[in-house]
Amino acid sequence: MMWKLAGKTFKSRLILGTAQYPSPEVLCQSIRKSEVEVVTVSIRRQNPEGKAGGAFWDLLKKENVQFLPNTAHCRSAKEAVLTAHLAREIFDTHWIKLEVIGDEESLAPDPFELVEAARILCSEGFEVFPYTTEDVVTAERLVHAGCRILMPWASPIGSGQGIVRPESLARLRARFPETTLIVDAGIGKPSHAAAAMEMGFDGVLLNTAVAMASDPEAMACAFSQAVKAGRLAYKAGLMPPRASAVASTPFNQTFFSESRPQ
Amino acid sequence: MMWKLAGKTFKSRLILGTAQYPSPEVLCQSIRKSEVEVVTVSIRRQNPEGKAGGAFWDLLKKENVQFLPNTAHCRSAKEAVLTAHLAREIFDTHWIKLEVIGDEESLAPDPFELVEAARILCSEGFEVFPYTTEDVVTAERLVHAGCRILMPWASPIGSGQGIVRPESLARLRARFPETTLIVDAGIGKPSHAAAAMEMGFDGVLLNTAVAMASDPEAMACAFSQAVKAGRLAYKAGLMPPRASAVASTPFNQTFFSESRPQ
Amino acid sequence: MMWKLAGKTFKSRLILGTAQYPSPEVLCQSIRKSEVEVVTVSIRRQNPEGKAGGAFWDLLKKENVQFLPNTAHCRSAKEAVLTAHLAREIFDTHWIKLEVIGDEESLAPDPFELVEAARILCSEGFEVFPYTTEDVVTAERLVHAGCRILMPWASPIGSGQGIVRPESLARLRARFPETTLIVDAGIGKPSHAAAAMEMGFDGVLLNTAVAMASDPEAMACAFSQAVKAGRLAYKAGLMPPRASAVASTPFNQTFFSESRPQ
Amino acid sequence: MMWKLAGKTFKSRLILGTAQYPSPEVLCQSIRKSEVEVVTVSIRRQNPEGKAGGAFWDLLKKENVQFLPNTAHCRSAKEAVLTAHLAREIFDTHWIKLEVIGDEESLAPDPFELVEAARILCSEGFEVFPYTTEDVVTAERLVHAGCRILMPWASPIGSGQGIVRPESLARLRARFPETTLIVDAGIGKPSHAAAAMEMGFDGVLLNTAVAMASDPEAMACAFSQAVKAGRLAYKAGLMPPRASAVASTPFNQTFFSESRPQ
Amino acid sequence: MKVIVNGLEREVNESHLDGALKDLSLDLSYAAIALNGKCIPKSQFNQTKITEGDVLEVLVPQAGG
Amino acid sequence: MKVIVNGLEREVNESHLDGALKDLSLDLSYAAIALNGKCIPKSQFNQTKITEGDVLEVLVPQAGG
Amino acid sequence: MKVIVNGLEREVNESHLDGALKDLSLDLSYAAIALNGKCIPKSQFNQTKITEGDVLEVLVPQAGG
Amino acid sequence: MKVIVNGLEREVNESHLDGALKDLSLDLSYAAIALNGKCIPKSQFNQTKITEGDVLEVLVPQAGG
């Protein structure tokens, strides 16, 4: 039942982002209540007055969760590689959520720079979690570059639209059985997370859907339950959808069955 | 947190059908493990050798759950009313899942006969749970006939297609705020059940999706968790989906922000 | 190739509504340019100053098209039957587009009152064109009441959303091969009209999509062409969609075929 | 009204593939009847007995249409560039439909090799028509490499599924107003073609949907009409879809309006 | 006597419908008449009695979807 | 006399329903009875007359969706 | 000498491409030639040398999507 | 000499990075340093030279999606 992720084992298959929460306290509560064990973080310039990480960091450290720093807003392999190096220094981990944005409007990944950055970082011993599209060719190149993990988007970051192309994600799952697949970006509701897990994805990563909920703590728990439910359903063998109706109650012995043809 | 349903209170908002399970033992295990408190049942002619309900009934009685007998396969108000009377005798409950089928192929309800049967049964003191479509006019007539509960379909019975017309179900929820709304028929996966609850539906009724799973017990638990997750998300205030991407990681202070326009 | 509709023959399978045009001149131009032969009309109280139909009617009469008066805004069989009688007097036709609205918000038809009105009007010799939903049971009752024609909606009147439930419309087409089926309400674009014809529908009725276009005359022609294209495609035998890709260019003899497995 | 495509002007915005027709005669009939002016072709090894192009080519030449040779089945920039050179020799045109397949199962383009091949061929003076996905970043690189034209897919080649991601194609149209955009691959019905034109695409390219129709000639005409209808609708200013119903027939003066609130 | 015509009170002193309509000087070329919720064909105008408080509806063509 | 029980012709010689059911030796613990399309509550078994050709339905619980 | 033509081994004893092609008696009206993965325009047939083991591809038009 | 620290011009008169950082009195507990676009691990602070116009970036943790 445990989840082997990049050589470590976890109970929860939900990875939570730490941005946009009403306060660091609500963030930490959400993490604790949802029993999340991996959270994404980022780096920024130190404020001029020289204070280190701010309240955010002091509180977050105490949750002793695994950190997954990201290269948010990077738009070239060069920027992403430098950010990864700095993040490794700060968070003392070789895990990196590799984001190389190719389009400001849709925040779509740039497949070209992404694969280049992945190649470099994998060669330097990073465990690369690449934020990518559902494009099979890009996925193949990322795996070829050394990625053991792929993080295809469900829909644009922060849009909460859920899985707009289930058949493409399903194809990725089928084509990369040995790769850890995590749906990242666009999950807006627990039902979206459950749907990803039902498709056989290994985990789900989301931020906005919890941070922007009226009650983030409760929403984090809802997502945690939905991810468990989806995983359980995947293992329990879902019924295949059928084109037309099939009665569940047996018909044969209903008392008016004579009066009507079977 | 408790669910007031037809004057009774329950913890679980999942109602489970009892048909098509591999065995009565698996059925009872599924009920126990998923902590379901209401199950649907049906009636049939006694087998010639005069044995009462068969293994099914002897075991099911011990689960002390609330029974919701159905009028499956009835195609007229007359047949449905008679079946309801007989079911009340057998199960000693005035609850009735009113099904009047108008089309053998899609097992769609017959709005005309359904409303007629509902009128009669409500007048006789039955608590009517009408299996209906998402048609607002039919819903209005059922409520007018005395129904405190409506059970619109997500998609054809046993098809497992999930919610094919979310906007119609959402309109029903908005138009009948005081009515107990339960999605019945067509739910195939826990994510479907979670989606119904996220829309504000009060409960979910399903049978085939658990009975036909490779591991019904595990699937029943998955659905139970998904229903809880969906309800929790509904109460926690879901983020509204947005048309385009919105970055979660703040951009302002990333070190390469100068080099690029905000 | 001609369309036999209620005993008459027409070249065009597009029926155009006459409401909401910028002017009666634009309306008549749209009719002429698109070669439409049947238009829907309505009745209203005469203005106090006693003038007959106004510019609208004087111009429209000259187009010598077949009129299909409607019972818009009627909400009971009684109102619809009276309106039909008055319309027969005014337009000297026994054709009637039977609309009985059951819900002000979605302008959904009221199946109960609709079937009742259809029964009465068919018995009085009217050619009833009932505006209905895609519900099979309601359709069966309308045909049983004497309707030779059914006009299921694609989506709510004036919404321009197109065919939101293709599978339901397809089921209607399959279930009523002998009935004239016209898609009415919700068509917003020529591609919607073409799609309806490709499914085997006999005709398409629309108003808002032409009247509210920036250039109604051009839009009317676009719809006329799309209806023809859709019909032609239906007769020419559409290829069935396939789940996965199939190369069109033959592969065998490409010069690098050796170097790669077939 | 004429279409300026790569420096030439055409009346028809439909480009037809020439593969899989029942016979060269049917192919030529389809071209003539649909008034198509641009057709795609391919190259293959000469048959051992040394005969040139076979019946196909002798007939097709007489239709005096513009040829658009493709690089079907190429899987690297190297193969595609060589094929382009050979095609230029054979068809005496610098137009090339650049296809570089990255995945045998979905026949998805390989963005990496595609952009590389486009760079080379544009630099050699080819007019490159790149078959690509709806990925904005890849599109930008193709335009940057010199492409004046982009040919995003609607859905997998030969699948006939139509436009599975309208919002992505719409985004491409919005982001590349100066680029000629042609939907290529996956169009299965005239309504799909009309929908592409309604979105403002400049043209449509399809093969299987006509070649595999029961009556290819009629289907070619249906597509030709649908493309015209879609273009006309785009120019005529489509009504925006609306979330809810809006009555077309005015309500004010209906005679029973008093008896009911407005 | 007083009758309601298209929702407005009007004064007519004719016993039958044909006279009343002339009295009201309505242009009936494209009109249809309903009396107390019942459609009265033109042919019956002269035999149809009018009484105090009757409700008359005069309908004419209108654009429609 | 002959009556139809669950679609099968059976022989009973009892005038009332309670006797007839015993005669048919049916296990009525979880059953409900319909006579000629009408549900007969247990309390009325003894007052309900049986006549030739009556149609009896004996229903018991069954799994249901 | 031996050369590969469209994947098949053929015998030609010509030093240049134009001669070789004639030798192979191919109908070149609509053909294009690639030699060792490089396209050779018709104009250069006569200056293009042929050596043992060269790979020749002769391409012609074909239907395409 | 003048160096750019997080985009702002600062005055430091130290030849090596470790001195310079102390000079700038920065809280380096959770920080990482980049010099002219290259990440400098803490261990190399003392051997890394600083020259006029160098660009220094001091990065710290931040919430992230």
Side-chain angles (χ1 to χ4, degrees):
Chain A
M1 273 304 288
M2 299 292 279
W3 183 23
K4 268 184 70 7
L5 173 60
K8 301 197 177 187
T9 21
F10 300 96
K11 280 206 274 3
S12 168
R13 290 170 175 273
L14 173 63
I15 300 176
L16 213 51
T18 58
Q20 299 182 309
Y21 286 76
S23 71
E25 289 69 22
V26 168
L27 166 60
C28 293
Q29 278 285 28
S30 304
I31 293 172
R32 220 169 297 143
K33 284 265 191 70
S34 62
E35 295 167 341
V36 145
E37 298 157 287
V38 181
V39 299
T40 56
V41 284
S42 187
I43 67 172
R44 62 163 178 75
R45 274 176 169 170
Q46 196 174 47
N47 302 356
E49 77 287 13
K51 239 192 66 27
F56 158 76
W57 185 237
D58 303 335
L59 270 170
L60 190 56
K61 278 181 308 171
K62 295 194 197 93
E63 294 305 321
N64 72 59
V65 285
Q66 165 75 42
F67 294 120
L68 175 58
N70 70 30
T71 65
H73 303 300
C74 289
R75 287 177 58 178
S76 68
K78 191 162 156 297
E79 285 176 0
V81 167
L82 174 55
T83 303
H85 291 165
L86 293 164
R88 181 165 55 181
E89 285 292 312
I90 293 175
F91 298 105
D92 186 24
T93 171
H94 63 296
W95 283 23
I96 187 76
K97 179 183 173 194
L98 178 59
E99 300 180 39
V100 187
I101 300 304
D103 170 38
E104 281 315 315
E105 202 208 301
S106 63
L107 295 180
D110 178 329
F112 305 87
E113 294 291 323
L114 177 67
V115 168
E116 177 54 12
R119 194 185 52 71
I120 298 167
L121 292 174
C122 286
S123 69
E124 296 177 356
F126 280 88
E127 184 73 62
V128 175
F129 293 65
Y131 155 64
T132 181
T133 67
E134 71 285 2
D135 176 45
V136 171
V137 181
T138 306
E140 235 145 53
R141 294 207 175 206
L142 288 168
V143 170
H144 188 67
C147 296
R148 299 198 291 176
I149 295 159
L150 292 176
M151 301 217 293
W153 62 349
S155 48
I157 296 175
S159 74
Q161 291 171 24
I163 301 173
V164 292
R165 300 156 200 160
E167 70 295 340
S168 316
L169 288 187
R171 184 182 306 129
L172 264 190
R173 178 64 290 171
R175 297 292 294 277
F176 298 92
E178 301 317 319
T179 309
T180 297
L181 292 184
I182 298 169
V183 173
D184 167 35
I187 298 280
K189 296 176 177 161
S191 55
H192 301 157
M197 300 307 287
E198 287 162 0
M199 278 197 215
F201 275 76
D202 300 291
V204 172
L205 194 164
L206 52 97
N207 186 149
T208 311
V210 167
M212 307 287 271
S214 322
D215 178 350
E217 286 159 53
M219 190 58 82
C221 296
F223 270 102
S224 171
Q225 281 177 5
V227 167
K228 283 198 197 100
R231 178 69 184 175
L232 189 54
Y234 172 68
K235 306 292 280 183
L238 291 149
M239 66 167 276
R242 296 184 281 207
S244 56
V246 180
S248 45
T249 307
F251 174 67
N252 46 24
Q253 280 301 347
T254 39
F255 64 99
F256 36 72
S257 49
E258 280 82 32
S259 64
R260 267 192 270 120
Q262 186 79 42
Chain B
M1 270 305 287
M2 298 293 279
W3 183 24
K4 269 184 77 352
L5 174 60
K8 300 195 176 186
T9 19
F10 299 97
K11 278 203 273 11
S12 168
R13 290 170 176 273
L14 174 64
I15 301 177
L16 214 51
T18 57
Q20 298 183 310
Y21 287 77
S23 72
E25 290 69 23
V26 168
L27 165 61
C28 293
Q29 278 286 26
S30 303
I31 293 170
R32 222 169 297 140
K33 284 265 193 69
S34 62
E35 296 166 342
V36 146
E37 299 157 286
V38 181
V39 298
T40 57
V41 285
S42 187
I43 68 172
R44 63 163 178 73
R45 273 175 171 172
Q46 195 175 46
N47 302 353
E49 77 285 13
K51 242 196 60 28
F56 159 74
W57 184 237
D58 304 336
L59 270 170
L60 190 56
K61 276 182 308 170
K62 295 197 200 88
E63 293 304 321
N64 73 59
V65 285
Q66 165 75 44
F67 293 121
L68 175 57
N70 70 31
T71 65
H73 303 302
C74 288
R75 288 176 61 179
S76 68
K78 190 161 158 296
E79 285 176 0
V81 167
L82 174 55
T83 303
H85 291 166
L86 292 164
R88 180 165 53 180
E89 284 294 310
I90 292 175
F91 298 105
D92 185 25
T93 172
H94 63 293
W95 284 23
I96 188 75
K97 180 184 173 195
L98 179 59
E99 300 181 37
V100 188
I101 301 305
D103 171 37
E104 283 313 315
E105 202 210 302
S106 62
L107 295 180
D110 178 329
F112 305 86
E113 294 291 322
L114 176 67
V115 168
E116 177 53 13
R119 193 185 52 70
I120 297 167
L121 292 174
C122 286
S123 68
E124 295 178 358
F126 280 88
E127 185 73 60
V128 176
F129 294 64
Y131 156 63
T132 180
T133 66
E134 72 284 5
D135 175 44
V136 171
V137 180
T138 306
E140 234 144 55
R141 292 206 175 208
L142 288 169
V143 169
H144 187 68
C147 296
R148 300 196 291 179
I149 295 160
L150 291 176
M151 301 218 293
W153 60 350
S155 49
I157 295 176
S159 73
Q161 291 172 27
I163 300 172
V164 292
R165 300 153 198 157
E167 71 293 342
S168 318
L169 288 188
R171 184 182 306 131
L172 265 191
R173 177 64 290 170
R175 297 292 293 278
F176 297 91
E178 301 318 317
T179 308
T180 297
L181 292 184
I182 300 170
V183 173
D184 167 34
I187 299 278
K189 298 174 177 166
S191 56
H192 300 158
M197 300 306 287
E198 287 161 1
M199 278 197 212
F201 275 75
D202 300 291
V204 173
L205 194 163
L206 52 97
N207 186 147
T208 311
V210 167
M212 307 287 271
S214 322
D215 177 350
E217 285 157 55
M219 190 57 82
C221 296
F223 270 101
S224 171
Q225 283 177 4
V227 167
K228 283 198 197 99
R231 178 68 183 176
L232 189 54
Y234 172 67
K235 305 293 280 183
L238 292 150
M239 68 167 275
R242 296 185 279 209
S244 56
V246 179
S248 45
T249 306
F251 174 69
N252 47 26
Q253 279 302 347
T254 40
F255 64 100
F256 35 72
S257 49
E258 283 85 32
S259 65
R260 267 190 271 118
Q262 186 75 46
Chain C
M1 270 303 288
M2 299 291 279
W3 184 24
K4 269 185 80 337
L5 173 61
K8 301 197 175 185
T9 19
F10 299 98
K11 277 204 278 352
S12 168
R13 290 171 175 271
L14 173 64
I15 300 177
L16 213 52
T18 57
Q20 299 182 311
Y21 286 76
S23 72
E25 290 69 24
V26 168
L27 165 60
C28 293
Q29 279 285 27
S30 302
I31 292 172
R32 220 171 297 142
K33 284 265 193 70
S34 63
E35 295 166 342
V36 146
E37 299 157 285
V38 181
V39 298
T40 55
V41 284
S42 187
I43 68 172
R44 64 162 176 73
R45 275 175 169 171
Q46 196 174 44
N47 301 353
E49 77 284 13
K51 240 195 69 16
F56 158 75
W57 184 238
D58 304 335
L59 270 171
L60 189 56
K61 277 182 308 173
K62 296 194 198 91
E63 294 304 322
N64 73 59
V65 285
Q66 165 74 45
F67 293 120
L68 174 58
N70 71 29
T71 66
H73 301 302
C74 289
R75 289 177 60 178
S76 68
K78 190 163 158 292
E79 285 177 1
V81 168
L82 174 56
T83 303
H85 291 164
L86 293 164
R88 180 165 53 179
E89 286 293 310
I90 293 175
F91 298 105
D92 188 22
T93 172
H94 64 294
W95 284 23
I96 188 76
K97 179 183 174 195
L98 179 59
E99 302 181 36
V100 188
I101 301 304
D103 171 37
E104 281 314 316
E105 202 210 301
S106 62
L107 295 180
D110 178 328
F112 305 86
E113 294 291 322
L114 177 67
V115 169
E116 176 54 12
R119 194 184 53 69
I120 298 166
L121 293 175
C122 286
S123 69
E124 295 176 358
F126 279 89
E127 184 72 61
V128 175
F129 293 65
Y131 156 64
T132 181
T133 67
E134 72 283 5
D135 176 43
V136 170
V137 180
T138 305
E140 236 145 54
R141 292 203 175 211
L142 288 169
V143 169
H144 187 66
C147 297
R148 300 197 292 180
I149 295 160
L150 292 175
M151 303 218 291
W153 61 350
S155 49
I157 295 176
S159 74
Q161 290 171 26
I163 300 172
V164 293
R165 301 155 198 160
E167 71 294 342
S168 317
L169 288 188
R171 184 180 308 129
L172 264 191
R173 177 64 290 170
R175 298 291 293 280
F176 298 90
E178 300 317 317
T179 308
T180 298
L181 292 185
I182 299 169
V183 173
D184 167 35
I187 299 279
K189 297 176 179 167
S191 55
H192 301 157
M197 300 307 286
E198 286 161 1
M199 279 197 212
F201 275 75
D202 301 290
V204 172
L205 194 163
L206 53 96
N207 186 146
T208 311
V210 167
M212 306 287 273
S214 322
D215 178 349
E217 285 157 53
M219 189 58 81
C221 296
F223 270 101
S224 170
Q225 282 177 6
V227 167
K228 283 200 197 97
R231 179 67 182 177
L232 190 53
Y234 172 68
K235 306 292 278 180
L238 291 149
M239 66 168 277
R242 295 186 280 209
S244 56
V246 179
S248 44
T249 306
F251 175 68
N252 48 23
Q253 279 301 348
T254 39
F255 64 101
F256 35 73
S257 50
E258 280 84 32
S259 63
R260 266 192 268 118
Q262 185 79 45
Chain D
M1 269 302 285
M2 297 292 278
W3 183 23
K4 270 184 73 359
L5 174 60
K8 300 197 175 184
T9 21
F10 299 97
K11 277 204 266 23
S12 167
R13 290 170 176 272
L14 174 63
I15 301 177
L16 213 50
T18 57
Q20 299 182 308
Y21 286 75
S23 72
E25 290 68 24
V26 168
L27 166 60
C28 293
Q29 279 285 30
S30 303
I31 292 170
R32 220 169 297 142
K33 285 263 191 72
S34 63
E35 296 165 340
V36 146
E37 299 157 288
V38 181
V39 299
T40 57
V41 284
S42 188
I43 66 171
R44 63 162 176 72
R45 274 174 170 170
Q46 195 173 46
N47 302 355
E49 76 287 12
K51 243 197 64 15
F56 158 74
W57 184 237
D58 303 336
L59 271 170
L60 190 56
K61 275 181 312 173
K62 296 195 196 89
E63 294 306 320
N64 72 60
V65 285
Q66 164 74 44
F67 293 118
L68 175 57
N70 70 31
T71 65
H73 303 301
C74 289
R75 289 177 59 178
S76 68
K78 192 163 154 297
E79 284 176 3
V81 167
L82 173 56
T83 304
H85 291 165
L86 293 164
R88 180 164 56 181
E89 286 293 313
I90 294 176
F91 298 105
D92 186 24
T93 171
H94 63 295
W95 284 23
I96 189 76
K97 180 183 173 196
L98 179 59
E99 301 181 38
V100 188
I101 301 304
D103 171 36
E104 282 314 316
E105 203 209 301
S106 62
L107 296 180
D110 177 330
F112 305 86
E113 294 291 322
L114 177 67
V115 167
E116 176 54 11
R119 194 184 53 70
I120 299 167
L121 292 175
C122 286
S123 70
E124 295 177 358
F126 280 87
E127 184 73 60
V128 176
F129 293 64
Y131 155 65
T132 181
T133 65
E134 71 285 3
D135 176 43
V136 170
V137 181
T138 306
E140 235 146 53
R141 293 206 174 209
L142 288 169
V143 169
H144 188 66
C147 295
R148 299 198 292 180
I149 295 160
L150 292 175
M151 302 219 292
W153 61 351
S155 49
I157 296 177
S159 74
Q161 290 171 27
I163 300 172
V164 292
R165 300 155 199 158
E167 70 292 344
S168 317
L169 288 189
R171 184 181 306 129
L172 265 190
R173 177 66 288 172
R175 297 291 295 278
F176 297 92
E178 302 317 319
T179 309
T180 298
L181 292 183
I182 299 169
V183 173
D184 167 36
I187 299 278
K189 298 177 179 163
S191 56
H192 301 156
M197 300 306 287
E198 287 161 1
M199 280 197 213
F201 275 75
D202 300 290
V204 173
L205 194 163
L206 52 97
N207 186 146
T208 311
V210 167
M212 307 287 272
S214 321
D215 177 351
E217 285 157 53
M219 190 58 81
C221 297
F223 270 101
S224 172
Q225 282 176 4
V227 166
K228 283 200 199 97
R231 178 69 184 175
L232 190 53
Y234 173 67
K235 306 292 281 184
L238 291 149
M239 67 168 275
R242 295 185 282 210
S244 54
V246 180
S248 45
T249 306
F251 174 67
N252 47 26
Q253 281 302 347
T254 40
F255 64 98
F256 35 73
S257 51
E258 280 81 32
S259 65
R260 266 194 269 119
Q262 187 77 48
Chain E
M1 63 189 155
K2 283 201 191 53
V3 287
I4 314 287
V5 179
N6 282 359
L8 302 173
E9 210 177 71
R10 300 287 293 274
E11 186 55 39
V12 282
N13 32 50
E14 287 291 333
S15 64
H16 284 74
L17 184 57
D18 52 356
L21 292 174
K22 266 196 221 70
D23 206 6
L24 294 162
S25 68
L26 295 176
D27 168 0
L28 298 183
S29 37
Y30 312 117
I33 304 296
L35 177 62
N36 302 331
K38 208 169 144 311
C39 173
I40 310 297
K42 283 196 178 54
S43 54
Q44 295 167 17
F45 281 2
N46 49 17
Q47 317 125 10
T48 311
K49 284 214 188 55
I50 296 291
T51 56
E52 179 69 26
D54 272 353
V55 176
L56 252 171
E57 294 287 348
V58 183
L59 288 315
V60 291
Q62 173 187 241
Chain F
M1 65 191 156
K2 283 199 187 52
V3 289
I4 313 288
V5 180
N6 282 0
L8 302 172
E9 209 177 72
R10 300 286 293 276
E11 187 55 39
V12 281
N13 34 48
E14 286 292 336
S15 62
H16 284 74
L17 183 55
D18 53 356
L21 291 173
K22 265 196 224 74
D23 207 7
L24 293 161
S25 69
L26 294 175
D27 167 1
L28 298 185
S29 35
Y30 312 116
I33 305 296
L35 177 63
N36 301 333
K38 207 169 147 307
C39 173
I40 312 297
K42 283 199 176 55
S43 55
Q44 295 169 16
F45 282 2
N46 50 18
Q47 316 127 9
T48 310
K49 282 212 189 51
I50 295 291
T51 56
E52 180 68 27
D54 273 357
V55 176
L56 252 171
E57 293 286 347
V58 184
L59 288 313
V60 291
Q62 172 188 240
Chain G
M1 64 188 152
K2 282 201 190 53
V3 290
I4 313 288
V5 180
N6 283 1
L8 302 172
E9 209 177 71
R10 299 287 293 275
E11 185 55 40
V12 279
N13 35 52
E14 285 292 335
S15 63
H16 284 72
L17 183 56
D18 54 354
L21 290 174
K22 261 193 228 76
D23 208 6
L24 293 161
S25 68
L26 294 175
D27 166 1
L28 298 183
S29 33
Y30 311 116
I33 305 295
L35 176 63
N36 301 330
K38 208 166 145 312
C39 172
I40 312 297
K42 282 197 177 53
S43 56
Q44 296 168 18
F45 282 1
N46 49 18
Q47 316 126 16
T48 311
K49 281 211 191 53
I50 297 291
T51 58
E52 180 69 26
D54 272 356
V55 175
L56 253 170
E57 292 289 346
V58 183
L59 288 313
V60 291
Q62 171 186 241
Chain H
M1 64 189 156
K2 282 201 190 50
V3 288
I4 315 286
V5 180
N6 283 358
L8 303 172
E9 209 177 74
R10 300 287 294 275
E11 186 56 39
V12 281
N13 35 49
E14 285 293 334
S15 64
H16 284 73
L17 184 55
D18 55 355
L21 291 173
K22 261 195 229 72
D23 206 9
L24 294 162
S25 69
L26 294 177
D27 168 0
L28 298 184
S29 35
Y30 311 118
I33 306 297
L35 177 62
N36 302 329
K38 212 173 144 305
C39 173
I40 311 298
K42 284 197 177 53
S43 55
Q44 295 168 18
F45 282 2
N46 50 16
Q47 316 125 13
T48 312
K49 283 215 190 52
I50 294 291
T51 56
E52 179 70 27
D54 274 354
V55 176
L56 252 171
E57 294 288 348
V58 183
L59 289 313
V60 291
Q62 172 186 242

